[in-house]
């Protein structure tokens, strides 16, 4: 008898996917519309949908669960919509304007090249903390951590009191170079807490050194502000989900997908790490599946209702970006390196009034998918409306028939908004939208790979997301990938990745350890011991996080990482240390050897420059506790001919100027070894897989479709 063990959740802007794993590693995928006003409702509906495949119910299975992992967009939406707490900011006196000035790059993040240039399309976002809620305190520490001006403690209480009178709901402290000398920030923090207590309030205080003790003031300040502004308030969203799970019998501590690729507790100190949890799950799922299949180079592509997310896994490794940007802000978060564009199945389609050309996104319809959605309320055409008109989506099988889409509404809207203004038939206008979308996605994907110095022929492309299989053939055409894989559970693949992720905490700290190429052994020892001191400090922080979930330090697998560069260079690399601890001079040589091996792979052997000497710019500790993970199924081949009961009939599809009769197949009834020729559409309650002319697909033993270009 099967027993549910792991619940993985991906609450996207359009759909909420659940992935439930049993004690044998087998899994089912559920899908339901997202409910942004209360994510727990969409989650519950999605879990019920998943469990119908086991003939079971939430009431029967939730009490058996051992763990649950969540990824979602609530925190990011709060940040993007600028709907967070009223936050006060304490900085160095004389630096009160640096947050609202920001880094220059923030002035054009998220804009196309043309929009950056034109005043009528370029706007500057207001700062998260306005100038009137920013207070300066006299002190100064230089870049080496030396105190130039001592802290004027007498200025702290009046500044905090003034912020409290302005009704701020949280206070952030961020001083120049505090990561080198944290004492001043911590003293301000302690005085602030005493002042708040005297005032009879419980306003939380966030000192940047307690969260992100890293270089780059704007990045560090933005990230700490986000912790107070959006992350901490999102704990209530997670608590509401946790209460719903417990109300239905679950008994575990909910974990959240974090930006570095692991999962952390909802009680974690640094909750801002979960800002972009959903797309990360897909990349972790691709890495996990790739390891099982022996595929080391993977191009990840994820199409949801709102965006197209891309990432590369090279030689089995993920790239980590330590200075990413999000919501037009530069941040200090370790984030799995990804590229995202606002082009998805629910993206709005409009005609540019200046150039009379089609534009897609970047905004989308969210959970209402398009004008074809029965409740109405939407007036702008989306990509999904075009799918319905062309016959690519069965309007009677959306979410397994739970929602009936309206083709007539979609037809009328496309005619009025797109076809008539362009002088096209409705079908040609709809096909043009799909062709434009796939052309753009193909360019984005190719540019990402070529821009990193690789070729698509070196990679296997994984296509997933609810909208991925609809467009896989279109955006991979002629790119020359080694193979193109579409998992049968593509619609819930990000949730699958959450279930495949380790329970892992990561802590970083900036360092400045410089050792010359011809350094004596004692210099190497001094540098190595400084690195080990910080590793030990970070290890205690990681252990403390696990203790919140009743894991002892001895149960944690600690992994040591460092960031290194040649002296004088601008960019460093993150490398896993080949040692368990720094003890002797040979360990320094081992670190250098590991750095140069990575440098050679990322750049070229001819680019190595050992004569410059070496700089360690950061220390990292990753602590991991093993958790149950999904099993990749392996079924015997049953031949190329699909079973007769998988064939659902034929449907008219408009494609390249003509109506065709497409074979319609039920995805779940296809067997390993089955081969499907074009023109065909594979339907599932959660997604639709299009096999256009010039392509074929076959299903392998792991229930993964291989798309072949003929």
């Amino acid at each position: 008898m099967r027993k549910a063990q792991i619940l993985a959740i991906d609450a996207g802007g359009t759909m909420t996917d659940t992935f439930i794993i049993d004690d044998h590693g087998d899994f089912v995928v559920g899908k339901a519309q997202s409910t942004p006003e209360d994510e727990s409702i969409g989650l519950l509906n999605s879990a019920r949908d998943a469990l119908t495949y086991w003939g079971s119910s939430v009431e029967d299975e939730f009490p058996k669960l051992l763990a649950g992992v969540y990824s979602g967009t609530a925190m990011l939406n709060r940040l993007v919509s600028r709907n967070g707490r009223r936050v006060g900011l304490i900085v160095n006196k004389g630096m009160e304007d640096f947050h609202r000035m920001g880094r220059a790059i923030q002035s054009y993040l998220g804009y196309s090249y043309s929009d950056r240039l034109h005043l009528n399309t370029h706007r500057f976002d207001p700062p998260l903390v306005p100038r009137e809620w920013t207070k300066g305190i006299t002190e100064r520490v230089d870049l080496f951590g030396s105190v130039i001006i001592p802290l004027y403690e007498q200025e702290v209480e009046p500044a905090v009191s003034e912020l409290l009178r302005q009704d701020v709901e949280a206070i952030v402290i961020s001083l120049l170079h505090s990561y080198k000398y944290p004492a001043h920030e911590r003293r301000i923090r302690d005085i602030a807490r005493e002042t708040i207590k005297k005032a009879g309030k419980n306003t939380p205080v966030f000192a940047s050194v307690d969260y992100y003790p890293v270089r780059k003031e704007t990045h560090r300040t933005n990230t700490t502000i986000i912790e107070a502004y959006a992350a901490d308030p999102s704990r209530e969203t997670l608590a509401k989900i946790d209460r719903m799970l417990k109300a239905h019998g679950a008994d575990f501590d909910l974990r959240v997908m974090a930006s570095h690729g692991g999962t952390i507790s909802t009680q974690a100190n640094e909750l801002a790490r979960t800002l972009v949890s959903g797309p990360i799950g897909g990349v972790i799922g691709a890495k996990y599946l790739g390891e099982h299949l022996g595929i080391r180079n993977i191009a990840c592509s994820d199409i949801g209702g709102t965006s197209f997310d891309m990432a590369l896994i090279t030689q089995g490794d993920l790239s980590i970006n330590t200075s990413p940007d999000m919501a037009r802000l530069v941040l200090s978060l370790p984030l799995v390196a990804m590229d995202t564009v606002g082009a998805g199945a629910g993206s709005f389609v409009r005609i540019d009034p200046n150039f009379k050309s089609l534009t897609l996104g970047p905004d989308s319809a969210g959970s209402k998918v398009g004008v074809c959605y029965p409740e109405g309320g939407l007036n702008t055409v989306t990509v999904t409306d075009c799918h319905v008109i062309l016959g690519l989506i069965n309007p009677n099988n959306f979410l397994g028939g739970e929602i009936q889409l309206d083709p007539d509404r979609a037809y009328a809207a496309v005619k009025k908004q797109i076809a008539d203004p362009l002088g096209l038939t409705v079908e040609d206008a709809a096909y043009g939208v799909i062709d434009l979308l796939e052309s753009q996605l193909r360019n984005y994907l190719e540019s990402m790979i070529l821009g990193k110095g690789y070729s698509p022929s070196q990679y296997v492309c994984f296509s997933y997301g609810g909208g991925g299989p609809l467009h896989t053939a279109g955006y991979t055409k002629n790119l020359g990938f080694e193979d193109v894989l579409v998992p049968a559970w593509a619609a819930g693949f990000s949730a699958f990745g959450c279930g495949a992720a380790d329970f892992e905490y990561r802590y970083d700290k900036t360092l400045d350890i410089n050792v010359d190429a011809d350094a004596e052994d004692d210099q190497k020892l001094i540098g190595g011991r400084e690195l080990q001191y910080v590793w030990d400090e970070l290890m205690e922080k990681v252990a403390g996080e696990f203790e919140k979930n009743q894991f002892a330090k001895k149960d944690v697998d600690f992994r040591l990482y460092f960031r290194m560069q040649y002296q004088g260079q601008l960019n460093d690399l993150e490398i896993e240390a080949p040692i368990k601890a720094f003890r002797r001079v040979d360990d320094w040589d081992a670190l250098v050897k590991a750095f140069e091996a990575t440098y050679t792979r990322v750049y070229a052997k001819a680019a190595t420059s050992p004569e410059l000497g070496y700089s360690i710019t950061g220390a990292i500790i990753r602590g991991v506790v093993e958790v149950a993970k999904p099993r990749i199924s392996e079924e015997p081949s049953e031949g190329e001919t699909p079973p007769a009961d998988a064939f659902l009939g034929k449907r008219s599809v408009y494609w390249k100027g003509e109506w065709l009769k497409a074979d319609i197949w039920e995805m779940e009834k296809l067997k390993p070894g089955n081969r499907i020729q074009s023109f065909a559409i594979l339907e599932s309650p959660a997604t639709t897989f299009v096999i256009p002319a010039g392509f074929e697909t076959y299903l392998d033993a792991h229930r993964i479709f291989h798309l072949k270009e003929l």
Side-chain angles (χ1 to χ4, degrees):
M1 182 177 177
R2 84 165 25 96
K3 186 164 70 171
Q5 285 202 323
I6 308 295
L7 170 67
I9 307 147
D10 177 26
T14 304
M15 297 291 171
T16 294
D17 303 320
T18 50
F19 195 89
I20 302 176
I21 310 164
D22 72 7
D23 51 340
H24 302 294
D26 295 327
F27 52 81
V28 284
V29 180
K31 203 172 191 71
Q33 287 186 285
S34 292
T35 50
E37 66 285 354
D38 184 352
E39 290 191 356
S40 65
I41 298 172
L43 190 166
L44 190 61
N45 292 338
S46 182
R48 283 177 171 145
D49 176 59
L51 290 170
T52 59
Y53 294 98
W54 282 349
S56 188
S57 67
V58 163
E59 288 71 23
D60 289 337
E61 299 299 335
F62 273 23
K64 304 173 188 174
L65 289 169
L66 301 179
V69 182
Y70 166 89
S71 67
T73 59
M75 190 188 310
L76 183 59
N77 291 341
R78 181 175 275 117
L79 178 61
V80 170
S81 62
R82 296 297 199 265
N83 186 29
R85 277 178 175 160
R86 294 166 57 92
V87 176
L89 177 63
I90 294 177
V91 298
N92 303 80
K93 183 164 285 188
M95 298 293 294
E96 291 89 347
D97 291 301
F98 92 91
H99 168 61
R100 68 189 183 115
M101 290 171 65
R103 293 291 291 263
I105 191 174
Q106 288 182 182
S107 67
Y108 58 81
L109 283 174
Y111 282 112
S112 67
Y113 183 73
S114 60
D115 286 342
R116 295 176 191 179
L117 299 179
H118 297 292
L119 291 175
N120 61 337
T121 60
H122 193 168
R123 64 180 175 79
F124 296 88
D125 288 331
L128 295 179
V129 181
R131 177 63 176 81
E132 59 269 24
W133 298 345
T134 304
K135 307 300 175 187
I137 302 294
T138 303
E139 76 88 56
R140 183 57 58 91
V141 170
D142 68 14
L143 75 165
F144 303 109
S146 302
V147 176
I148 305 303
I149 301 174
L151 174 65
Y152 283 31
E153 294 188 8
Q154 69 275 14
E155 295 180 1
V156 177
E157 185 171 347
V160 172
S161 297
E162 177 60 24
L163 290 174
L164 294 178
R165 282 193 292 272
Q166 292 174 301
D167 294 324
V168 299
E169 297 167 315
I171 294 175
V172 168
I173 306 160
S174 184
L175 304 178
L176 291 173
H177 309 299
S178 60
Y179 62 91
K180 298 288 284 186
Y181 186 85
H184 285 174
E185 268 197 23
R186 287 177 177 153
R187 182 59 184 144
I188 294 174
R189 175 200 65 193
D190 294 343
I191 296 173
R193 286 175 176 168
E194 291 169 8
T195 305
I196 291 166
K197 188 176 180 180
K198 286 181 193 174
K201 297 190 175 185
N202 58 356
T203 308
V205 180
F206 300 79
S208 75
V209 293
D210 294 337
Y211 292 87
Y212 307 99
V214 292
R215 162 185 298 118
K216 297 183 179 178
E217 270 65 37
T218 298
H219 298 67
R220 174 165 52 87
T221 303
N222 285 346
T223 311
T224 312
I225 290 172
I226 287 172
E227 195 71 54
Y229 180 89
D232 202 53
S234 294
R235 292 182 195 273
E236 178 52 35
T237 297
L238 299 174
K240 188 179 290 186
I241 293 170
D242 195 50
R243 288 194 294 269
M244 182 277 293
L245 293 171
K246 286 183 167 56
H248 287 82
D251 183 23
F252 55 77
D253 292 321
L254 186 68
R255 304 199 312 271
V256 191
M257 193 74 207
S259 60
H260 61 264
T263 59
I264 63 177
S265 167
T266 59
Q267 305 168 51
N269 187 47
E270 299 178 4
L271 201 60
R273 290 175 181 268
T274 66
L275 190 64
V276 281
S277 51
I280 303 297
V283 182
I284 300 306
K287 185 175 186 292
Y288 179 76
L289 185 56
E291 288 169 352
H292 183 85
L293 301 176
I295 302 172
R296 293 178 58 77
N297 292 340
I298 302 169
C300 305
S301 57
D302 177 1
I303 306 180
T306 304
S307 64
F308 180 53
D309 303 306
M310 303 163 285
L312 283 186
I313 299 170
T314 304
Q315 295 298 305
D317 289 333
L318 299 167
S319 294
I320 297 290
N321 183 359
T322 55
S323 298
D325 63 82
M326 197 64 55
R328 305 195 67 215
L329 296 165
V330 290
L331 305 174
S332 287
L333 286 172
L335 176 69
V336 172
M338 299 180 66
D339 289 346
T340 299
V341 292
S347 293
F348 286 126
V349 182
R350 302 181 178 91
I351 294 178
D352 187 303
N354 298 314
F355 303 103
K356 303 300 180 186
S357 60
L358 285 174
T359 62
L360 305 177
D363 50 342
S364 71
S367 61
K368 292 195 173 180
V369 304
V371 177
C372 58
Y373 191 78
E375 288 184 9
L378 284 180
N379 299 312
T380 305
V381 167
T382 69
V383 172
T384 298
D385 291 316
C386 298
H387 289 146
V388 171
I389 289 169
L390 297 174
L392 298 176
I393 287 181
N394 180 354
N396 300 317
N397 191 41
F398 189 71
L399 290 179
E402 184 180 324
I403 302 293
Q404 300 287 313
L405 301 181
D406 189 338
D408 293 335
R409 281 172 52 86
Y411 189 96
V414 170
K415 183 178 188 330
K416 179 180 179 181
Q417 297 176 31
I418 308 297
D420 288 350
L422 294 179
L424 299 172
T425 66
V426 173
E427 292 80 7
D428 283 335
Y431 183 81
V433 168
I434 303 303
D435 194 40
L436 175 62
L437 173 66
E438 292 177 349
S439 176
Q440 289 183 351
L441 300 184
R442 187 164 58 247
N443 290 339
Y444 290 137
L445 188 57
E446 184 179 32
S447 298
M448 180 196 68
I449 298 170
L450 295 178
K452 290 177 170 60
Y454 301 111
S455 164
S457 62
Q458 298 171 277
Y459 287 82
V460 172
C461 180
F462 282 22
S463 176
Y464 50 88
L470 269 165
H471 301 286
T472 305
Y475 70 75
T476 61
K477 185 177 181 180
N478 298 327
L479 290 185
F481 284 110
E482 181 183 336
D483 200 355
V484 177
L485 306 187
V486 180
W489 63 98
F493 197 78
S494 289
F496 162 78
C498 292
D502 290 316
F503 187 10
E504 175 189 313
Y505 285 94
R506 169 184 168 133
Y507 274 93
D508 302 48
K509 187 171 183 177
T510 290
L511 296 174
D512 287 300
I513 300 173
N514 297 297
V515 176
D516 295 335
D518 57 354
E520 299 292 335
D521 287 354
D522 60 338
Q523 290 179 275
K524 295 178 182 178
L525 286 170
I526 291 170
R529 286 167 181 163
E530 183 179 347
L531 174 62
Q532 184 61 50
Y533 177 82
V534 177
W535 273 339
D536 290 340
E537 175 189 336
L538 297 178
M539 203 175 294
E540 291 304 315
K541 292 181 73 173
V542 169
E545 293 283 20
F546 278 112
E547 285 173 5
K548 295 176 183 177
N549 294 90
Q550 288 75 54
F551 286 100
K553 185 176 180 180
K554 63 181 177 60
D555 299 324
V556 182
D557 175 18
F558 292 102
R559 299 171 187 175
L560 282 59
Y561 289 75
F562 64 101
R563 300 191 71 87
M564 183 180 272
Q565 65 190 46
Y566 289 116
Q567 286 191 41
Q569 291 193 338
L570 294 176
N571 298 315
D572 55 12
L573 294 172
E574 182 173 314
I575 304 118
E576 184 168 6
I579 59 176
K580 293 296 183 184
F582 190 96
R583 295 187 178 92
R584 53 185 181 273
V585 172
D586 290 348
D587 292 334
W588 177 267
D589 297 331
L591 297 178
V592 169
K593 185 177 179 181
F595 162 70
E596 296 200 318
T598 304
Y599 195 93
T600 298
R601 177 169 57 80
V602 174
Y603 300 109
K605 188 171 183 179
T608 57
S609 306
E611 71 279 1
L612 296 176
Y614 305 92
S615 294
I616 292 181
T617 57
I620 302 147
I621 287 289
R622 301 178 80 148
V624 177
V625 169
E626 285 298 319
V627 291
K629 295 182 181 179
R631 179 181 66 87
I632 308 302
S633 66
E634 189 152 358
E635 303 172 10
S637 175
E638 299 194 20
E640 292 191 358
T641 304
D645 66 344
F647 185 65
L648 299 176
K650 292 182 178 288
R651 185 166 73 236
S652 293
V653 172
Y654 190 82
W655 197 258
K656 291 187 176 179
E658 60 178 331
W659 286 98
L660 307 172
K661 287 294 184 180
D663 293 333
I664 311 299
W665 299 91
E666 186 174 346
M667 187 182 292
E668 283 72 22
K669 290 185 178 179
L670 296 174
K671 304 296 183 182
N674 289 176
R675 190 174 296 271
I676 305 292
Q677 307 286 339
S678 63
F679 202 110
I681 296 176
L682 281 56
E683 290 188 351
S684 167
T687 191
T688 301
F689 186 16
V690 176
I691 317 299
F695 288 84
E696 69 172 18
T697 190
Y698 71 89
L699 183 64
D700 71 14
H702 309 293
R703 298 206 62 78
I704 298 170
F705 291 97
H706 295 248
L707 185 66
K708 297 293 183 183
E709 194 169 352
L710 302 175

